Tab-separated table of all heavy atoms in Angstrom:
chain	number	residue	atom	x	y	z
G	29	TYR	N	82.549	134.141	148.169
G	29	TYR	CA	82.844	133.987	146.738
G	29	TYR	C	84.298	133.562	146.565
G	29	TYR	O	85.203	134.195	147.098
G	29	TYR	CB	82.580	135.316	146.024
G	29	TYR	CG	83.061	135.370	144.591
G	29	TYR	CD1	82.412	134.649	143.605
G	29	TYR	CD2	84.158	136.140	144.234
G	29	TYR	CE1	82.841	134.697	142.292
G	29	TYR	CE2	84.600	136.193	142.923
G	29	TYR	CZ	83.936	135.470	141.961
G	29	TYR	OH	84.356	135.513	140.665
G	30	ASP	N	84.519	132.482	145.829
G	30	ASP	CA	85.870	131.984	145.569
G	30	ASP	C	85.967	131.598	144.096
G	30	ASP	O	85.471	130.546	143.685
G	30	ASP	CB	86.157	130.775	146.475
G	30	ASP	CG	87.573	130.235	146.305
G	30	ASP	OD1	88.369	130.842	145.546
G	30	ASP	OD2	87.881	129.210	146.942
G	31	LYS	N	86.592	132.475	143.305
G	31	LYS	CA	86.655	132.258	141.863
G	31	LYS	C	87.421	130.986	141.521
G	31	LYS	O	87.018	130.223	140.641
G	31	LYS	CB	87.297	133.466	141.176
G	31	LYS	CG	87.274	133.361	139.668
G	31	LYS	CD	87.844	134.591	139.007
G	31	LYS	CE	87.814	134.430	137.505
G	31	LYS	NZ	88.496	135.500	136.818
G	32	ALA	N	88.507	130.709	142.232
G	32	ALA	CA	89.302	129.507	141.959
G	32	ALA	C	88.472	128.241	142.183
G	32	ALA	O	88.561	127.274	141.415
G	32	ALA	CB	90.551	129.482	142.831
G	33	ASP	N	87.638	128.252	143.234
G	33	ASP	CA	86.784	127.089	143.510
G	33	ASP	C	85.767	126.906	142.390
G	33	ASP	O	85.510	125.787	141.955
G	33	ASP	CB	86.078	127.271	144.859
G	33	ASP	CG	85.201	126.074	145.207
G	33	ASP	OD1	85.724	124.940	145.203
G	33	ASP	OD2	83.995	126.278	145.465
G	34	LEU	N	85.185	128.019	141.908
G	34	LEU	CA	84.216	127.928	140.809
G	34	LEU	C	84.878	127.365	139.548
G	34	LEU	O	84.305	126.513	138.873
G	34	LEU	CB	83.607	129.297	140.512
G	34	LEU	CG	82.731	129.915	141.607
G	34	LEU	CD1	82.235	131.281	141.164
G	34	LEU	CD2	81.575	129.018	141.961
G	35	GLU	N	86.105	127.840	139.248
G	35	GLU	CA	86.815	127.338	138.068
G	35	GLU	C	87.087	125.840	138.213
G	35	GLU	O	86.917	125.078	137.265
G	35	GLU	CB	88.144	128.088	137.885
G	35	GLU	CG	87.969	129.508	137.409
G	35	GLU	CD	89.278	130.289	137.352
G	35	GLU	OE1	90.303	129.819	137.895
G	35	GLU	OE2	89.266	131.375	136.774
G	36	ARG	N	87.497	125.424	139.416
G	36	ARG	CA	87.792	124.014	139.663
G	36	ARG	C	86.536	123.165	139.463
G	36	ARG	O	86.580	122.117	138.817
G	36	ARG	CB	88.333	123.836	141.091
G	36	ARG	CG	88.659	122.390	141.449
G	36	ARG	CD	89.001	122.236	142.924
G	36	ARG	NE	87.934	122.680	143.818
G	36	ARG	CZ	86.811	121.988	144.050
G	36	ARG	NH1	86.599	120.846	143.455
G	36	ARG	NH2	85.898	122.453	144.881
G	37	ARG	N	85.407	123.631	139.989
G	37	ARG	CA	84.165	122.871	139.865
G	37	ARG	C	83.687	122.806	138.415
G	37	ARG	O	83.161	121.784	137.977
G	37	ARG	CB	83.091	123.475	140.764
G	37	ARG	CG	83.371	123.200	142.247
G	37	ARG	CD	82.465	123.956	143.177
G	37	ARG	NE	81.071	123.660	142.971
G	37	ARG	CZ	80.079	124.409	143.448
G	37	ARG	NH1	80.337	125.495	144.157
G	37	ARG	NH2	78.822	124.075	143.223
G	38	MET	N	83.869	123.895	137.657
G	38	MET	CA	83.455	123.871	136.244
G	38	MET	C	84.366	122.960	135.433
G	38	MET	O	83.903	122.221	134.562
G	38	MET	CB	83.422	125.282	135.673
G	38	MET	CG	82.230	126.071	136.189
G	38	MET	SD	81.878	127.480	135.183
G	38	MET	CE	80.608	128.266	136.141
G	39	ARG	N	85.677	122.991	135.732
G	39	ARG	CA	86.604	122.065	135.069
G	39	ARG	C	86.211	120.623	135.391
G	39	ARG	O	86.276	119.741	134.542
G	39	ARG	CB	88.042	122.318	135.533
G	39	ARG	CG	88.847	123.225	134.641
G	39	ARG	CD	90.335	123.134	134.895
G	39	ARG	NE	90.697	123.078	136.291
G	39	ARG	CZ	90.911	124.136	137.085
G	39	ARG	NH1	90.796	125.351	136.598
G	39	ARG	NH2	91.242	123.982	138.352
G	40	GLY	N	85.778	120.403	136.632
G	40	GLY	CA	85.334	119.070	137.050
G	40	GLY	C	84.148	118.599	136.230
G	40	GLY	O	84.055	117.420	135.874
G	41	ALA	N	83.226	119.511	135.914
G	41	ALA	CA	82.059	119.147	135.094
G	41	ALA	C	82.511	118.718	133.700
G	41	ALA	O	82.013	117.736	133.150
G	41	ALA	CB	81.087	120.324	134.998
G	42	VAL	N	83.482	119.443	133.124
G	42	VAL	CA	83.981	119.111	131.786
G	42	VAL	C	84.726	117.774	131.820
G	42	VAL	O	84.535	116.919	130.953
G	42	VAL	CB	84.893	120.234	131.235
G	42	VAL	CG1	85.531	119.824	129.923
G	42	VAL	CG2	84.098	121.516	131.049
G	43	GLU	N	85.571	117.574	132.851
G	43	GLU	CA	86.324	116.310	132.963
G	43	GLU	C	85.375	115.129	133.139
G	43	GLU	O	85.580	114.066	132.557
G	43	GLU	CB	87.313	116.372	134.141
G	43	GLU	CG	88.447	117.350	133.936
G	43	GLU	CD	89.235	117.102	132.665
G	43	GLU	OE1	89.570	115.932	132.380
G	43	GLU	OE2	89.485	118.069	131.942
G	44	SER	N	84.337	115.319	133.944
G	44	SER	CA	83.357	114.260	134.157
G	44	SER	C	82.670	113.900	132.835
G	44	SER	O	82.471	112.722	132.530
G	44	SER	CB	82.325	114.709	135.188
G	44	SER	OG	81.298	113.767	135.309
G	45	LEU	N	82.329	114.921	132.054
G	45	LEU	CA	81.709	114.683	130.750
G	45	LEU	C	82.650	113.890	129.846
G	45	LEU	O	82.242	112.914	129.219
G	45	LEU	CB	81.339	116.007	130.070
G	45	LEU	CG	80.897	115.873	128.610
G	45	LEU	CD1	79.544	115.191	128.519
G	45	LEU	CD2	80.848	117.224	127.936
G	46	LYS	N	83.930	114.298	129.798
G	46	LYS	CA	84.881	113.608	128.925
G	46	LYS	C	85.050	112.158	129.354
G	46	LYS	O	85.173	111.265	128.516
G	46	LYS	CB	86.225	114.342	128.920
G	46	LYS	CG	86.151	115.646	128.144
G	46	LYS	CD	87.462	116.370	128.104
G	46	LYS	CE	87.320	117.653	127.287
G	46	LYS	NZ	88.515	118.472	127.317
G	47	HIS	N	85.027	111.906	130.666
G	47	HIS	CA	85.120	110.532	131.157
G	47	HIS	C	83.889	109.736	130.737
G	47	HIS	O	83.997	108.591	130.280
G	47	HIS	CB	85.278	110.526	132.675
G	47	HIS	CG	85.417	109.163	133.250
G	47	HIS	ND1	84.337	108.433	133.702
G	47	HIS	CD2	86.495	108.370	133.420
G	47	HIS	CE1	84.750	107.259	134.128
G	47	HIS	NE2	86.062	107.189	133.970
G	48	ASP	N	82.697	110.340	130.894
G	48	ASP	CA	81.455	109.659	130.491
G	48	ASP	C	81.454	109.368	128.988
G	48	ASP	O	81.064	108.281	128.555
G	48	ASP	CB	80.226	110.504	130.842
G	48	ASP	CG	79.950	110.543	132.341
G	48	ASP	OD1	80.537	109.728	133.077
G	48	ASP	OD2	79.146	111.398	132.765
G	49	LEU	N	81.887	110.339	128.190
G	49	LEU	CA	81.902	110.160	126.740
G	49	LEU	C	82.915	109.092	126.332
G	49	LEU	O	82.714	108.384	125.351
G	49	LEU	CB	82.212	111.477	126.025
G	49	LEU	CG	81.134	112.560	126.093
G	49	LEU	CD1	81.621	113.831	125.408
G	49	LEU	CD2	79.832	112.098	125.508
G	50	GLY	N	84.006	108.976	127.092
G	50	GLY	CA	85.023	107.969	126.792
G	50	GLY	C	84.481	106.562	126.915
G	50	GLY	O	84.973	105.636	126.276
G	51	GLY	N	83.450	106.376	127.735
G	51	GLY	CA	82.859	105.058	127.920
G	51	GLY	C	81.872	104.670	126.834
G	51	GLY	O	81.432	103.528	126.789
G	52	LEU	N	81.511	105.613	125.960
G	52	LEU	CA	80.578	105.292	124.872
G	52	LEU	C	81.316	104.572	123.745
G	52	LEU	O	82.393	104.998	123.336
G	52	LEU	CB	79.935	106.570	124.313
G	52	LEU	CG	78.910	107.261	125.196
G	52	LEU	CD1	78.379	108.500	124.486
G	52	LEU	CD2	77.776	106.336	125.541
G	53	ARG	N	80.727	103.512	123.251
G	53	ARG	CA	81.350	102.719	122.196
G	53	ARG	C	81.153	103.400	120.852
G	53	ARG	O	80.051	103.785	120.501
G	53	ARG	CB	80.693	101.349	122.172
G	53	ARG	CG	81.593	100.302	121.636
G	53	ARG	CD	80.926	98.977	121.739
G	53	ARG	NE	80.388	98.670	120.415
G	53	ARG	CZ	79.412	97.819	120.209
G	53	ARG	NH1	78.843	97.214	121.200
G	53	ARG	NH2	79.005	97.578	118.990
G	54	THR	N	82.223	103.536	120.099
G	54	THR	CA	82.121	104.220	118.808
G	54	THR	C	82.418	103.303	117.634
G	54	THR	O	82.472	103.752	116.506
G	54	THR	CB	83.101	105.407	118.744
G	54	THR	OG1	84.421	104.902	118.935
G	54	THR	CG2	82.785	106.449	119.782
G	55	GLY	N	82.630	102.011	117.889
G	55	GLY	CA	82.971	101.118	116.801
G	55	GLY	C	84.467	100.905	116.701
G	55	GLY	O	84.940	100.029	116.000
G	56	ARG	N	85.237	101.733	117.414
G	56	ARG	CA	86.684	101.555	117.480
G	56	ARG	C	87.028	101.030	118.864
G	56	ARG	O	86.394	101.387	119.844
G	56	ARG	CB	87.386	102.894	117.268
G	56	ARG	CG	87.489	103.298	115.826
G	56	ARG	CD	88.632	104.257	115.600
G	56	ARG	NE	88.546	105.423	116.462
G	56	ARG	CZ	88.068	106.604	116.080
G	56	ARG	NH1	87.625	106.769	114.873
G	56	ARG	NH2	88.047	107.604	116.917
G	57	ALA	N	88.051	100.214	118.944
G	57	ALA	CA	88.468	99.658	120.226
G	57	ALA	C	89.118	100.754	121.073
G	57	ALA	O	90.007	101.452	120.619
G	57	ALA	CB	89.449	98.518	120.002
G	58	SER	N	88.641	100.890	122.294
G	58	SER	CA	89.209	101.847	123.234
G	58	SER	C	89.242	101.176	124.600
G	58	SER	O	88.242	100.589	125.031
G	58	SER	CB	88.341	103.103	123.289
G	58	SER	OG	88.711	103.893	124.386
G	59	THR	N	90.386	101.262	125.271
G	59	THR	CA	90.504	100.590	126.571
G	59	THR	C	89.567	101.204	127.608
G	59	THR	O	89.183	100.526	128.560
G	59	THR	CB	91.948	100.648	127.090
G	59	THR	OG1	92.362	102.005	127.168
G	59	THR	CG2	92.887	99.869	126.182
G	60	THR	N	89.161	102.452	127.418
G	60	THR	CA	88.242	103.092	128.367
G	60	THR	C	86.848	102.480	128.312
G	60	THR	O	86.060	102.670	129.219
G	60	THR	CB	88.121	104.608	128.100
G	60	THR	OG1	87.691	104.807	126.756
G	60	THR	CG2	89.432	105.318	128.329
G	61	LEU	N	86.576	101.727	127.252
G	61	LEU	CA	85.279	101.064	127.102
G	61	LEU	C	85.006	100.114	128.266
G	61	LEU	O	83.870	99.953	128.701
G	61	LEU	CB	85.274	100.298	125.776
G	61	LEU	CG	84.005	99.596	125.344
G	61	LEU	CD1	82.893	100.612	125.153
G	61	LEU	CD2	84.243	98.851	124.057
G	62	LEU	N	86.064	99.511	128.800
G	62	LEU	CA	85.906	98.524	129.876
G	62	LEU	C	86.084	99.119	131.268
G	62	LEU	O	86.011	98.393	132.263
G	62	LEU	CB	86.896	97.367	129.669
G	62	LEU	CG	86.786	96.621	128.341
G	62	LEU	CD1	87.825	95.522	128.260
G	62	LEU	CD2	85.400	96.049	128.150
Side-chain angles (χ1 to χ4, degrees):
Y29 170 71
D30 182 4
K31 185 177 179 187
D33 181 54
L34 294 179
E35 288 175 348
R36 179 188 58 75
R37 288 171 59 196
M38 286 198 187
R39 265 197 318 272
V42 174
E43 292 304 315
S44 174
L45 170 70
K46 287 181 179 174
H47 182 268
D48 288 347
L49 291 177
L52 288 180
R53 207 176 100 202
T54 59
R56 280 204 305 261
S58 167
T59 57
T60 57
L61 184 62
L62 302 179

